[in-house]
Amino acid sequence: GAVVSQHPSWVICKSGTSVKIECRSLDFQATTMFWYRQFPKQSLMLMATSNEGSKATYEQGVEKDKFLINHASLTLSTLTVTSAHPEDSSFYICSAPDRVGNTIYFGEGSWLTVV
Amino acid sequence: GQNIDQPTEMTATEGAIVQINCTYQTSGFNGLFWYQQHAGEAPTFLSYNVLDGLEEKGRFSSFLSRSKGYSYLLLKELQMKDSASYLCAARVNDYKLSFGAGTTVTVRA
């Protein structure tokens, strides 16, 4: 079964609204989680590193005020897309390393469509 | 910066063998992951190489040469369900991954 779970799998929202995506590690604690974005037929692009108990680290070109990340507990990180626009429509995926770090698990992904 | 290169597409026949090459140039390197991704789904873990050499897991094997900045994923006894995108990813810092663009493998009957 899944070791990293994302919710929701699909979400449609109106332009200008905010959407929250949750990423949970199941049966293990993840002090660090990662958020990726993937556009159709493209590879995964790292957006930010989510750190439990501290601020997220954003990759160059990613607006931290638009993509709010909160790592509230050792098993939950959330990504909030604020003031969403159609160009934010994408596949958002989170990942978390296992305790040893030899395996990095991905969540099921969340499809966001902004209309 | 990070540079991960892999072929865009490969086609093979059911039952055959296909080798997907990946070359990388990264600032920092802690290992090489291979993931399989079916259209519209999240990536699933296939292999992780840290040391040089070949690691075999059933029909899939992965090879790494750190000195050459090179890895390959070998898929044997291809099945139709193996049609997917295969992602090469370098672990560049702690658990941060830098992905290649992915290789779309099409298996034909």
Side-chain angles (χ1 to χ4, degrees), chain A residues 16-32:
Chain A
T17 62
S18 296
V19 173
K20 180 186 286 187
I21 301 171
E22 294 185 347
C23 178
R24 293 181 184 275
S25 58
L26 308 177
D27 299 325
F28 71 101
Q29 296 179 336
T31 57
T32 303

PDB file of all heavy atoms in Angstrom, chain A residues 16-32:
ATOM      1  N   GLY A  16      -8.409  32.890  -8.930  1.00  0.00           N
ATOM      2  CA  GLY A  16      -8.433  33.821  -7.815  1.00  0.00           C
ATOM      3  C   GLY A  16      -8.654  33.167  -6.463  1.00  0.00           C
ATOM      4  O   GLY A  16      -8.438  33.797  -5.424  1.00  0.00           O
ATOM      5  N   THR A  17      -9.057  31.927  -6.466  1.00  0.00           N
ATOM      6  CA  THR A  17      -9.283  31.234  -5.190  1.00  0.00           C
ATOM      7  C   THR A  17      -8.015  30.494  -4.774  1.00  0.00           C
ATOM      8  O   THR A  17      -7.042  30.418  -5.526  1.00  0.00           O
ATOM      9  CB  THR A  17     -10.455  30.251  -5.292  1.00  0.00           C
ATOM     10  OG1 THR A  17     -10.145  29.247  -6.272  1.00  0.00           O
ATOM     11  CG2 THR A  17     -11.732  30.966  -5.695  1.00  0.00           C
ATOM     12  N   SER A  18      -8.044  29.938  -3.571  1.00  0.00           N
ATOM     13  CA  SER A  18      -6.896  29.198  -3.047  1.00  0.00           C
ATOM     14  C   SER A  18      -7.243  27.729  -2.893  1.00  0.00           C
ATOM     15  O   SER A  18      -8.390  27.371  -2.621  1.00  0.00           O
ATOM     16  CB  SER A  18      -6.471  29.773  -1.692  1.00  0.00           C
ATOM     17  OG  SER A  18      -6.015  31.097  -1.829  1.00  0.00           O
ATOM     18  N   VAL A  19      -6.250  26.906  -3.075  1.00  0.00           N
ATOM     19  CA  VAL A  19      -6.448  25.460  -2.981  1.00  0.00           C
ATOM     20  C   VAL A  19      -5.364  24.862  -2.093  1.00  0.00           C
ATOM     21  O   VAL A  19      -4.187  25.206  -2.237  1.00  0.00           O
ATOM     22  CB  VAL A  19      -6.368  24.797  -4.376  1.00  0.00           C
ATOM     23  CG1 VAL A  19      -6.403  23.296  -4.252  1.00  0.00           C
ATOM     24  CG2 VAL A  19      -7.485  25.290  -5.261  1.00  0.00           C
ATOM     25  N   LYS A  20      -5.758  23.962  -1.202  1.00  0.00           N
ATOM     26  CA  LYS A  20      -4.796  23.323  -0.316  1.00  0.00           C
ATOM     27  C   LYS A  20      -4.669  21.854  -0.671  1.00  0.00           C
ATOM     28  O   LYS A  20      -5.661  21.151  -0.836  1.00  0.00           O
ATOM     29  CB  LYS A  20      -5.229  23.446   1.145  1.00  0.00           C
ATOM     30  CG  LYS A  20      -4.251  22.778   2.124  1.00  0.00           C
ATOM     31  CD  LYS A  20      -4.763  22.784   3.550  1.00  0.00           C
ATOM     32  CE  LYS A  20      -4.670  24.152   4.169  1.00  0.00           C
ATOM     33  NZ  LYS A  20      -5.021  24.133   5.615  1.00  0.00           N
ATOM     34  N   ILE A  21      -3.425  21.392  -0.768  1.00  0.00           N
ATOM     35  CA  ILE A  21      -3.132  19.985  -1.045  1.00  0.00           C
ATOM     36  C   ILE A  21      -2.366  19.427   0.142  1.00  0.00           C
ATOM     37  O   ILE A  21      -1.411  20.046   0.614  1.00  0.00           O
ATOM     38  CB  ILE A  21      -2.291  19.839  -2.330  1.00  0.00           C
ATOM     39  CG1 ILE A  21      -3.037  20.438  -3.528  1.00  0.00           C
ATOM     40  CG2 ILE A  21      -1.980  18.369  -2.587  1.00  0.00           C
ATOM     41  CD1 ILE A  21      -2.177  20.534  -4.782  1.00  0.00           C
ATOM     42  N   GLU A  22      -2.790  18.260   0.622  1.00  0.00           N
ATOM     43  CA  GLU A  22      -2.140  17.654   1.779  1.00  0.00           C
ATOM     44  C   GLU A  22      -1.255  16.478   1.362  1.00  0.00           C
ATOM     45  O   GLU A  22      -1.597  15.723   0.447  1.00  0.00           O
ATOM     46  CB  GLU A  22      -3.194  17.149   2.764  1.00  0.00           C
ATOM     47  CG  GLU A  22      -4.015  18.233   3.405  1.00  0.00           C
ATOM     48  CD  GLU A  22      -4.944  17.671   4.462  1.00  0.00           C
ATOM     49  OE1 GLU A  22      -5.115  16.432   4.508  1.00  0.00           O
ATOM     50  OE2 GLU A  22      -5.505  18.460   5.243  1.00  0.00           O
ATOM     51  N   CYS A  23      -0.173  16.325   2.077  1.00  0.00           N
ATOM     52  CA  CYS A  23       0.745  15.209   1.852  1.00  0.00           C
ATOM     53  C   CYS A  23       1.040  14.581   3.206  1.00  0.00           C
ATOM     54  O   CYS A  23       1.535  15.265   4.119  1.00  0.00           O
ATOM     55  CB  CYS A  23       2.035  15.712   1.205  1.00  0.00           C
ATOM     56  SG  CYS A  23       3.281  14.428   0.927  1.00  0.00           S
ATOM     57  N   ARG A  24       0.714  13.318   3.343  1.00  0.00           N
ATOM     58  CA  ARG A  24       0.899  12.624   4.614  1.00  0.00           C
ATOM     59  C   ARG A  24       1.820  11.420   4.456  1.00  0.00           C
ATOM     60  O   ARG A  24       1.705  10.657   3.503  1.00  0.00           O
ATOM     61  CB  ARG A  24      -0.437  12.125   5.157  1.00  0.00           C
ATOM     62  CG  ARG A  24      -1.395  13.203   5.573  1.00  0.00           C
ATOM     63  CD  ARG A  24      -2.685  12.638   6.135  1.00  0.00           C
ATOM     64  NE  ARG A  24      -3.637  13.693   6.433  1.00  0.00           N
ATOM     65  CZ  ARG A  24      -3.662  14.384   7.566  1.00  0.00           C
ATOM     66  NH1 ARG A  24      -2.795  14.083   8.526  1.00  0.00           N
ATOM     67  NH2 ARG A  24      -4.544  15.342   7.760  1.00  0.00           N
ATOM     68  N   SER A  25       2.737  11.275   5.390  1.00  0.00           N
ATOM     69  CA  SER A  25       3.539  10.057   5.440  1.00  0.00           C
ATOM     70  C   SER A  25       2.806   9.070   6.340  1.00  0.00           C
ATOM     71  O   SER A  25       2.353   9.424   7.422  1.00  0.00           O
ATOM     72  CB  SER A  25       4.942  10.353   5.971  1.00  0.00           C
ATOM     73  OG  SER A  25       4.890  10.926   7.259  1.00  0.00           O
ATOM     74  N   LEU A  26       2.672   7.855   5.853  1.00  0.00           N
ATOM     75  CA  LEU A  26       1.926   6.835   6.585  1.00  0.00           C
ATOM     76  C   LEU A  26       2.910   5.891   7.277  1.00  0.00           C
ATOM     77  O   LEU A  26       3.818   5.381   6.644  1.00  0.00           O
ATOM     78  CB  LEU A  26       1.031   6.056   5.625  1.00  0.00           C
ATOM     79  CG  LEU A  26       0.117   6.895   4.740  1.00  0.00           C
ATOM     80  CD1 LEU A  26      -0.658   6.002   3.782  1.00  0.00           C
ATOM     81  CD2 LEU A  26      -0.834   7.722   5.576  1.00  0.00           C
ATOM     82  N   ASP A  27       2.731   5.698   8.543  1.00  0.00           N
ATOM     83  CA  ASP A  27       3.546   4.755   9.317  1.00  0.00           C
ATOM     84  C   ASP A  27       5.010   5.150   9.462  1.00  0.00           C
ATOM     85  O   ASP A  27       5.834   4.340   9.890  1.00  0.00           O
ATOM     86  CB  ASP A  27       3.480   3.335   8.701  1.00  0.00           C
ATOM     87  CG  ASP A  27       2.064   2.797   8.688  1.00  0.00           C
ATOM     88  OD1 ASP A  27       1.312   3.104   9.637  1.00  0.00           O
ATOM     89  OD2 ASP A  27       1.708   2.085   7.733  1.00  0.00           O
ATOM     90  N   PHE A  28       5.368   6.357   9.073  1.00  0.00           N
ATOM     91  CA  PHE A  28       6.720   6.804   9.357  1.00  0.00           C
ATOM     92  C   PHE A  28       6.721   8.323   9.444  1.00  0.00           C
ATOM     93  O   PHE A  28       5.847   8.991   8.912  1.00  0.00           O
ATOM     94  CB  PHE A  28       7.730   6.327   8.293  1.00  0.00           C
ATOM     95  CG  PHE A  28       7.622   6.999   6.943  1.00  0.00           C
ATOM     96  CD1 PHE A  28       8.509   8.012   6.590  1.00  0.00           C
ATOM     97  CD2 PHE A  28       6.658   6.616   6.027  1.00  0.00           C
ATOM     98  CE1 PHE A  28       8.437   8.626   5.351  1.00  0.00           C
ATOM     99  CE2 PHE A  28       6.571   7.228   4.783  1.00  0.00           C
ATOM    100  CZ  PHE A  28       7.459   8.231   4.440  1.00  0.00           C
ATOM    101  N   GLN A  29       7.708   8.841  10.134  1.00  0.00           N
ATOM    102  CA  GLN A  29       7.821  10.282  10.314  1.00  0.00           C
ATOM    103  C   GLN A  29       8.735  10.872   9.257  1.00  0.00           C
ATOM    104  O   GLN A  29       9.778  10.298   8.937  1.00  0.00           O
ATOM    105  CB  GLN A  29       8.366  10.593  11.712  1.00  0.00           C
ATOM    106  CG  GLN A  29       7.429  10.155  12.828  1.00  0.00           C
ATOM    107  CD  GLN A  29       7.996  10.449  14.207  1.00  0.00           C
ATOM    108  OE1 GLN A  29       9.201  10.568  14.384  1.00  0.00           O
ATOM    109  NE2 GLN A  29       7.123  10.573  15.194  1.00  0.00           N
ATOM    110  N   ALA A  30       8.344  11.990   8.739  1.00  0.00           N
ATOM    111  CA  ALA A  30       9.120  12.647   7.683  1.00  0.00           C
ATOM    112  C   ALA A  30       9.408  14.084   8.089  1.00  0.00           C
ATOM    113  O   ALA A  30       8.527  14.940   8.012  1.00  0.00           O
ATOM    114  CB  ALA A  30       8.362  12.602   6.360  1.00  0.00           C
ATOM    115  N   THR A  31      10.615  14.323   8.543  1.00  0.00           N
ATOM    116  CA  THR A  31      10.974  15.702   8.903  1.00  0.00           C
ATOM    117  C   THR A  31      11.152  16.566   7.665  1.00  0.00           C
ATOM    118  O   THR A  31      11.103  17.793   7.739  1.00  0.00           O
ATOM    119  CB  THR A  31      12.269  15.722   9.728  1.00  0.00           C
ATOM    120  OG1 THR A  31      13.304  15.073   8.978  1.00  0.00           O
ATOM    121  CG2 THR A  31      12.089  14.989  11.048  1.00  0.00           C
ATOM    122  N   THR A  32      11.379  15.917   6.550  1.00  0.00           N
ATOM    123  CA  THR A  32      11.546  16.633   5.290  1.00  0.00           C
ATOM    124  C   THR A  32      10.634  16.021   4.235  1.00  0.00           C
ATOM    125  O   THR A  32      10.580  14.803   4.101  1.00  0.00           O
ATOM    126  CB  THR A  32      13.002  16.560   4.789  1.00  0.00           C
ATOM    127  OG1 THR A  32      13.872  17.075   5.796  1.00  0.00           O
ATOM    128  CG2 THR A  32      13.172  17.372   3.515  1.00  0.00           C
TER     129      THR A  32
END
